[in-house]
């Protein structure tokens, strides 16, 4: 059985793009940013990091010399041109940025781990349910098409 990767990509009616804000442009974030802008129908419209040097990195990766940048992620949440957030921030910030993002009415992809405590995880899930927004916590390996295929086949080679 072969899995078609096309349904994994978002499609937007009328040729519009999904516009995201990138929060955290360190090692993981710069890699995510570079990969995300390669997806069809996706555009980074603003970036956030505490370090000015990483603002330069975000502009270099996107090829946008005038990419809006900030040190305050709340500015991205208030930006009506941003549909969703991609976050690669230090682990102890995951709960707060997820809760703030969905409360602001935006979807979010946040790097793993989801949280450091069960209580933080519960708060994140409750905020997502209350807002109806999409929350994805990064664990790219389990999303690979090749691994999805292998999960559907047991050791004897037959489909589950």
């Amino acid at each position: 059985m072969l899995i078609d990767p096309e349904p994994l990509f978002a499609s937007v009616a009328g040729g519009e793009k999904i516009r995201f804000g990138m929060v955290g442009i360190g090692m993981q974030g710069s890699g995510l940013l570079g990969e995300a802008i390669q997806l069809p129908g996706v555009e980074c419209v603003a970036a956030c990091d505490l370090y000015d040097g990483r603002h330069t990195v975000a502009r270099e990766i996107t090829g946008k010399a005038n990419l809006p940048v900030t040190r305050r992620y709340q500015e991205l949440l208030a930006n009506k041109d941003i549909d969703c957030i991609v976050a690669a921030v230090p682990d102890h910030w995951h709960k707060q940025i997820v809760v703030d993002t969905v409360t602001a009415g935006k979807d979010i992809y946040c790097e793993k781990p989801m949280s450091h405590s069960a209580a933080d995880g519960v708060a994140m899930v409750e905020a997502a349910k209350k807002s109806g927004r999409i929350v994805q916590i990064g664990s790219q390996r389990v999303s690979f098409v090749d691994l999805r295929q292998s999960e559907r086949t047991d050791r004897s080679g037959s489909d589950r």
Side-chain angles (χ1 to χ4, degrees), residues 1 13-14 21 29-30 35 38 52 55 58-59 72 78 93 101 111-112 121 127 134 137 142 146 149:
M1 171 195 278
S30 61
E35 291 296 321
Q38 300 301 315
D52 293 343
H55 295 172
R59 288 177 170 144
R72 294 180 33 82
W93 276 101
T101 299
E111 273 300 312
K112 65 182 180 190
I134 297 168
I137 303 300
V142 298
D146 292 346
Q149 174 62 38

Side-chain angles (χ1 to χ4, degrees), residues 9 30 37-38 40 45-46 50-51 58 60 69 73-74 78 90 93 100 117 138 144 150-151:
F9 295 107
S30 61
I37 63 172
Q38 300 301 315
V45 296
L50 293 177
Y51 301 105
E60 289 172 354
V69 294
Y73 74 88
Q74 294 88 346
W93 276 101
D100 289 350
S117 71
F144 289 163
S150 66
E151 290 173 3

Side-chain angles (χ1 to χ4, degrees), residues 83-145:
D83 301 311
C84 58
I85 296 294
V86 175
V89 296
D91 298 351
H92 64 276
W93 276 101
H94 289 186
K95 177 219 170 212
Q96 194 62 54
I97 197 164
V98 167
V99 170
D100 289 350
T101 299
V102 299
T103 301
K106 297 183 188 308
D107 301 326
I108 184 168
Y109 168 88
C110 184
E111 273 300 312
K112 65 182 180 190
M114 181 173 177
S115 66
H116 283 284
S117 71
D120 283 357
V122 168
M124 294 163 79
V125 169
E126 287 176 355
K129 284 181 178 179
K130 182 177 179 180
S131 69
R133 303 310 308 186
I134 297 168
V135 175
Q136 181 180 358
I137 303 300
S139 192
Q140 298 85 356
R141 184 178 149 98
V142 298
S143 299
F144 289 163
V145 172

